[in-house]
Amino acid sequence: PRGSLNRHSAEEQRLGPLRALVKRYPRDIFVQRRYQDFLRNKFHLTEQWDEALEMYGRGRGTALGDFLYARMLLSWKPVTAEGLLNELLQKEPKLAWAHLAIVEITEIPRFGDPAKAEKHMREFLKACPNSLEAYTHFKNIQDADMVAQAASNLRRLLDARAEAKLGKDMAGY
């Protein structure tokens, strides 16, 4: 249908700048994750998926390369992705983003596991307490104390950002 062609074209237009950033900053985990997030569940972009899988496959053998490859598989092969992430955490236990990726796997309907989500979310927050991104992944967190503490932390983080922005805005007066 005509509408789907337009949608694909718009997606491909948004993908271009991301591709340029991915090539310019191959070791920037935030750029790479954003690119992966864009592609997630867009299986109709088969060329782009194949290209991304090949690119991340070539990077394997380093902690970052292994992480990015595993994360690319999240939507497509979550069991394989989780196995790779667990192997990576055995070798690199301080790689907090691998914990968050496992939390992301628990958000896939058939893979919901509150205990696993809570365990890995705790590890991520221990390593990255000021990351706002963690708070978008509380879908399967059922521990009421953990949720209450997260809400309090999120409020504090947002207040601090709002105060910093206000201070910056007021600096010109």
Side-chain angles (χ1 to χ4, degrees):
R2 189 166 190 232
S4 66
L5 288 176
N6 290 337
R7 187 184 85 230
H8 295 319
S9 176
E11 287 173 338
E12 289 169 7
Q13 286 177 355
R14 287 193 306 265
L15 191 57
L18 278 173
R19 258 201 214 115
L21 286 171
V22 161
K23 288 181 177 154
R24 185 170 181 183
Y25 302 104
R27 299 191 48 76
D28 186 316
I29 197 167
F30 299 102
V31 169
Q32 299 298 330
R33 290 179 75 251
R34 177 66 185 101
Y35 178 65
Q36 290 181 343
D37 288 345
F38 180 84
L39 286 177
R40 186 173 294 169
N41 297 323
K42 291 185 173 84
F43 299 113
H44 59 277
L45 299 176
T46 54
E47 270 183 52
Q48 292 80 0
W49 260 88
D50 291 344
E51 178 184 295
L53 280 173
E54 182 182 325
M55 176 181 69
Y56 291 122
R58 286 191 310 263
R60 296 204 53 204
T62 66
L64 179 61
D66 290 347
F67 165 73
L68 291 171
Y69 181 78
R71 191 169 184 275
M72 190 65 196
L73 297 176
L74 280 179
S75 298
W76 185 43
K77 295 184 176 183
V79 173
T80 302
E82 185 175 355
L84 292 170
L85 290 164
N86 282 321
E87 286 175 22
L88 179 57
L89 284 168
Q90 291 291 319
K91 295 184 281 188
E92 299 286 340
K94 293 185 179 190
L95 184 58
W97 293 101
H99 288 290
L100 191 61
I102 291 174
V103 172
E104 290 178 277
I105 291 170
T106 70
E107 294 172 344
I108 298 170
R110 290 188 355 243
F111 298 94
D113 182 338
K116 185 186 302 179
E118 291 162 6
K119 172 189 171 199
H120 288 283
M121 182 61 80
R122 279 188 184 92
E123 291 299 318
F124 180 78
L125 289 173
K126 190 177 354 171
C128 303
N130 295 327
S131 170
L132 289 176
E133 183 158 2
Y135 300 98
T136 64
H137 298 289
F138 265 71
K139 179 180 178 182
N140 288 326
I141 306 296
Q142 295 180 355
D143 180 318
D145 291 334
M146 187 176 186
V147 171
Q149 182 62 48
S152 175
N153 290 345
L154 179 59
R155 207 171 297 114
R156 179 184 50 77
L157 290 169
L158 293 175
D159 285 347
R161 286 181 178 222
E163 288 172 15
K165 183 175 179 353
L166 180 61
K168 187 176 181 181
D169 290 347
M170 297 300 287
Y173 290 100

